[in-house]
């Protein structure tokens, strides 16, 4: 006898599609036999691992037969010291995606509504649908969040609001004063997750201090990651900082040992490697300026970005251009699934990688040489 197991799944899960990650270089090698590949698809740090992290990981290898510290004490202590928060305010996750799901699973029920913006991170609708809640998608304003419209969308069924700043995949940025004004309009029983995965790439004089706002807005949860500026995407470690009671609830549903030993050690180490962080920010700023100038020269409309990526309108099917770029050995990210069918999201790479991208775009889009 056979069974249609899809019918056994929760109603929201039945309609989901698996998350589409950026194509790995190994997959492109298998498909097209190309070996010299530039991957600019997943907003990874092109610098590679910090040398201090490499050393720390090597020293940790002998202990891999042991379970990691389930509470992540050393990493929490380092985070607490850096951000002046109590260890009881911190929740660790298997990447910051893990935290986004934990919040939804811990607080949202099928009868609730979750608010997020059009063109916002795809994980928000995924977790909302998976738990059977109602997604309230607020139309974007200049490709970013319309905070006034989001505040107006709150009802007595609203339990959670997701805000990405900078936003992925558009790179748009909300000024701190605007977020504070928004928080003052939201009822205390509505949780607001401020997803700051790209926080470190924002100019220091424009970042604001969302973590300090938690004292005045205890319904605020700030999530960040070590996958981007800190270069640990392959180890999967993120964190949230919140009111202690919220953190306690999140830690009740968090999987035991959700951060492995190498991830914990690497994160603790790189958090204190300011030289590595600043080197990556400098590289990103230079690459962003270079690609922005290239797009302007060739009259390609792009969205100014505060992240480590830039989204550009290629004037035709982004999916088709993506496929053509693959044959040039360049992997970028089509974002048709976000409703941006003529756009590509492109991560900032090393200098030579950015040059390869530009050469490939000139060829594929038949741009005038300049």
């Amino acid at each position: 006898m056979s069974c249609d197991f899809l019918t056994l799944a929760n109603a929201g899960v039945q309609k989901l599609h698996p998350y589409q990650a950026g194509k790995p270089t190994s997959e492109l090698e298998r498909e097209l036999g190309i070996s010299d590949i530039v991957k600019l698809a997943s907003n990874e740090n092109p610098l590679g691992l910090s040398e201090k992290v490499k050393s720390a990981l090597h020293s940790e290898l002998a202990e891999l037969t042991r379970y990691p510290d389930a509470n992540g004490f050393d990493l929490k202590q380092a985070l607490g010291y850096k951000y002046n928060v109590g260890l009881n305010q911190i929740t660790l996750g298997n990447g910051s995606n893990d935290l986004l799901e934990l919040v939804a699973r811990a607080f949202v029920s099928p009868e609730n509504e979750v608010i997020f913006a059009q063109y916002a991170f795809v994980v928000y609708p995924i977790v909302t649908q998976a738990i059977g809640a109602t997604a309230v998608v607020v139309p974007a304003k200049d490709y970013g969040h319309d905070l006034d419209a989001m505040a107006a969308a709150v009802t007595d069924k609203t339990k959670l609001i997701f805000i990405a700043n900078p936003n992925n995949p558009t790179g748009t940025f909300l000024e701190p004063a605007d977020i504070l004004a928004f928080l003052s309009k939201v009822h205390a029983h509505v949780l607001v997750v401020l997803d700051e995965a790209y926080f470190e790439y924002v100019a220091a004089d424009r970042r604001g201090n969302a973590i300090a706002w938690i004292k005045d807005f205890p319904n605020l949860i700030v999530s960040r990651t070590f996958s981007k500026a800190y270069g640990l995407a392959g180890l999967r470690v993120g964190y949230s900082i919140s009111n202690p009671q919220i953190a306690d609830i999140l830690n009740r549903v968090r999987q035991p040992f959700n951060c492995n030993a190498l991830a914990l050690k690497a994160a603790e180490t790189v958090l204190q490697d300011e030289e590595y962080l600043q080197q990556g920010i400098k590289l990103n700023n230079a690459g962003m300026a270079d690609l922005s100038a290239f797009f302007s020269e060739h009259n390609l409309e792009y969205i100014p970005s505060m992240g480590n990526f830039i989204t550009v309108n290629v004037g035709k099917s982004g999916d088709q251009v993506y496929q053509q770029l693959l044959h040039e050995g360049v992997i970028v990210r089509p974002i048709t699934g976000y409703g941006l069918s003529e756009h590509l999201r492109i991560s900032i790479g090393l200098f030579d990688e950015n040059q390869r991208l530009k050469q490939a775009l000139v060829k594929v889009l038949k741009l005038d040489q300049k």
Side-chain angles (χ1 to χ4, degrees), residues 5 12 36 38 42-43 50 78 82 88 117 120 128 146 150 161 193 195 217 223 233 237 267 270 273 288-289 322:
F5 291 102
D36 184 17
V38 172
S42 300
N43 304 343
S50 153
K82 183 177 181 66
N88 63 345
T128 301
D146 185 340
M150 293 178 76
I161 302 172
V193 173
D195 179 357
F217 301 100
S223 68
V237 56
V270 79
D273 192 348
M288 184 71 73
Y322 160 73

Side-chain angles (χ1 to χ4, degrees), residues 151-219:
V154 174
T155 71
D156 57 0
K157 293 183 179 180
T158 305
K159 183 62 74 71
L160 174 63
I161 302 172
F162 285 116
I163 296 175
N165 197 43
N167 184 51
N168 174 26
T170 62
T172 52
F173 178 71
L174 296 165
E175 297 294 342
D178 294 330
I179 299 176
L180 280 169
F182 171 82
L183 290 171
S184 68
K185 300 176 185 177
V186 177
H187 294 298
H189 66 273
V190 177
L191 299 178
V192 178
V193 173
L194 186 57
D195 179 357
E196 294 190 324
Y198 300 92
F199 170 81
E200 290 82 7
Y201 291 109
V202 177
D205 60 348
R206 296 186 65 184
R207 289 177 186 168
N209 186 359
I211 292 172
W213 303 343
I214 294 171
K215 293 179 181 178
D216 295 321
F217 301 100
N219 57 328

Side-chain angles (χ1 to χ4, degrees), residues 228-249:
K228 309 302 180 184
Y230 288 108
L232 302 183
L235 286 174
R236 312 302 302 126
V237 56
Y239 60 96
S240 68
I241 298 177
S242 63
N243 175 279
Q245 191 175 17
I246 290 177
D248 173 59
I249 293 168

